[in-house]
Amino acid sequence: MTLADTVAHLSPEHWATANRLLLRKALAEFAHERLITPEKDGDRYVVRSDDGLTAYRFAAVRRALDHWEIDPGSLTRHRDGGELPLAAMDFFIELKDSLGLSDEILPVYLEEISSTLSGTCYKLTKPPVTSAELAVSGFQAIETGMTEGHPCFVANNGRLGFGVHEYLSYAPETASPVRLVWLAAHRSRAAFTAGVGIEYESFLRQELGESTVERFRAVLSGQGLDPADYLFIPVHPWQWWNKLGVTFAAEVARRHLVCLGEGDDEYLAQQSIRTFFNATSPHKHYVKTALSVLNMGFMRGLSAAYMEATPAINDWLAQLIESDPVLKATGLTIIRERAAVGYRHLEYERATDRYSPYRKMLAALWRESPVPSLRDGETLATMASLLHVDHEGASFAGALIARSGLTPTEWLRGYLRAYYTPLLHSFYAYDLVFMPHGENVILVLEDGVVRRAVYKDIAEEIAVMDPDAALPPEVRRIRVEVPEDKKLLSIFTDVFDCFFRFLAARLAAEGVLEEDGFWRTVAEVTREYQEANPGLADKFRQYDMFAPEFALSCLNRLQLRNNRQMVDLADPSGALQLVGDLKNPLAGF
């Protein structure tokens, strides 16, 4: 590949398309979050720059939950009576004050926007695949076929730290096979923890293979070191080349860390960018690695301290699901984070607090693969794919419905029972909430029908909102205090506003299912759950799914305010940006 080839995707045509698509999303989501107020202008809407001199005009349909469906082809930009080309970088500068972008945040945010646009340009060069073709494709073809990323966040592919050659090697959409780098970490500074029934030596041999383990042990022996003194840690290649070889130089020099080389298996990066699916042996575990890259409001490191309790939290949740008849009946499973390894750099620990990215540079976890759990005829798809729209404007969800042979309402009901009913029950029965966005849920499909859901990303994302919950000591980290009036936002925001809003609008725009029909079905499945569980009636009244409205919690506002640490994970509700209310689409039913 020549130097010029690495930027071949950055053509004027692709750049213009990417800017149009991103501005459409920015106007829609910022209007939704009430950062901007589009004014009616004939049959169009207009949004003006801070100085009032630049105008963005567009046609839009307004849907439930104050969702703005903007026609990208209608979008134009005007100044001094003339039309200007659409340029996302200009837009953020022109509306800097409206968006609350500080002088410090603005250039970094622009870099994230630039990276997001560049990623879109790359996706535009890929051979087009229709949603109908994707609907009969394999799990990883769907995973790498996504074109949008998080539906709410405008700067959702920042990946600050990746050079262009690294983007081409490690971004999920490039589907480039990756071999992980393996380090030996001295046991005086490293710890391995695992779920019930897992022992380090045999687990490692299963994951790496006998010959690779022996090869790595020989590297240590060849340097006069005792392999028994070390634990093996898988590392993202970017992390080794860009961080550990330099930032952890003292550890390498003292032989606290020894580079063993690459493993033999090839992996594919997932939508979450630092998690890898084993493409050589799909039944083996996913590997999640530390990656000191800034992406969507966080440095994507992994905390060695957090890793220690991870397997225990997963075992606790798996046991809870297994022993609860309601959850079991929905078919819900989790893919457990079965083992974790973390390395503590004692000097950086002395110099920093527990939230510092310097404490999150070297750790990894192994998560079960969903592949071995499949029955005959079942396939997998990330739930994020439901919102995917192909180059012809057809959605993946619509393609699945067509393939299933069910009516849209029947298909939706099956999906809701698999994905949404377990969230309701976890909340009402256990005060337990997940982070159930599209990238954290895998759907098990059969001929386009959703059979069951698999939740993932457990230990870092779940919370129990009852401060008095009786939890085993090693699990207590997941207890959080959330004000009563904010508890139900875990469903209203994360599920209704951040996922169903888009799915309902998409199906309505395609003429597959009217919005009214969508929300009526959500209401019916909610009632069906409540009627089947009369013992929880008091809690249903206390936390009312049919309340007339709920608080609007704004995600972009978090990132625009602080794009390095959007939320304190120890106090998730403390950071919420609440701006007015949204009408609850269930209230009418």
Side-chain angles (χ1 to χ4, degrees), residues 205 208-216 264:
R205 288 179 187 275
L208 274 170
E210 204 71 47
S211 62
T212 309
V213 170
E214 291 313 317
R215 176 162 57 99
F216 287 169
D264 295 328

Side-chain angles (χ1 to χ4, degrees), residues 222-293:
Q223 296 185 27
L225 303 169
D226 183 353
D229 292 340
Y230 289 84
L231 295 170
F232 293 174
I233 301 186
V235 172
H236 195 298
W238 185 95
Q239 196 75 352
W240 171 251
W241 289 109
N242 292 279
K243 284 291 172 191
L244 301 176
V246 177
T247 311
F248 281 45
E251 307 303 280
V252 177
R254 294 175 189 152
R255 298 295 181 262
H256 289 147
L257 287 177
V258 179
C259 185
L260 302 171
E262 292 183 341
D264 295 328
D265 286 357
E266 291 192 332
Y267 289 84
L268 283 174
Q270 301 297 280
Q271 287 287 318
S272 60
I273 202 162
R274 58 182 167 156
T275 302
F276 291 98
F277 178 84
N278 193 321
T280 303
S281 303
H283 62 281
K284 286 189 192 175
H285 290 70
Y286 286 94
V287 180
K288 184 174 183 176
T289 56
L291 182 63
S292 301
V293 162

Side-chain angles (χ1 to χ4, degrees), residues 119-186:
T120 302
C121 288
Y122 177 84
K123 291 166 194 169
L124 290 168
T125 67
K126 293 173 77 173
V129 178
T130 65
S131 287
E133 290 170 304
L134 218 48
V136 292
S137 296
F139 182 31
Q140 290 306 295
I142 295 167
E143 184 77 23
T144 58
M146 298 300 93
T147 53
E148 180 39 54
H150 197 290
C152 300
F153 286 104
V154 176
N156 64 13
N157 279 325
R159 301 162 181 175
L160 298 193
F162 277 3
V164 67
H165 60 301
E166 293 160 330
Y167 169 83
L168 295 170
S169 301
Y170 307 130
E173 60 268 20
T174 65
S176 302
V178 176
R179 283 200 162 98
L180 299 177
V181 173
W182 285 80
L183 305 183
H186 199 271

Side-chain angles (χ1 to χ4, degrees), residues 29-139:
E29 288 307 297
F30 295 160
H32 174 73
E33 295 192 11
R34 300 168 192 177
L35 285 156
I36 56 177
T37 308
E39 299 159 30
K40 207 69 177 113
D41 183 29
D43 62 347
R44 305 251 157 154
Y45 288 92
V46 64
V47 167
R48 297 186 196 282
S49 57
D50 292 336
D51 64 10
L53 300 177
T54 305
Y56 291 85
R57 297 182 196 282
F58 53 87
V61 177
R62 295 185 66 177
R63 298 193 179 277
L65 290 172
D66 205 13
H67 181 69
W68 289 75
E69 190 176 289
I70 295 174
D71 169 15
S74 72
L75 183 52
T76 55
R77 175 180 173 220
H78 307 268
R79 195 178 185 109
D80 297 332
E83 189 173 332
L84 294 174
L86 297 173
M89 308 280 267
D90 289 346
F91 171 84
F92 289 99
I93 296 166
E94 289 164 1
L95 280 92
K96 165 180 176 282
D97 297 339
S98 303
L99 301 177
L101 278 161
S102 68
D103 290 344
E104 184 194 4
I105 296 287
L106 178 61
V108 186
Y109 190 77
L110 288 178
E111 190 181 354
E112 292 182 274
I113 290 294
S114 183
S115 175
T116 301
L117 290 166
S118 175
T120 302
C121 288
Y122 177 84
K123 291 166 194 169
L124 290 168
T125 67
K126 293 173 77 173
V129 178
T130 65
S131 287
E133 290 170 304
L134 218 48
V136 292
S137 296
F139 182 31

Side-chain angles (χ1 to χ4, degrees), residues 217-225:
R217 291 170 70 96
V219 172
L220 291 168
S221 305
Q223 296 185 27
L225 303 169

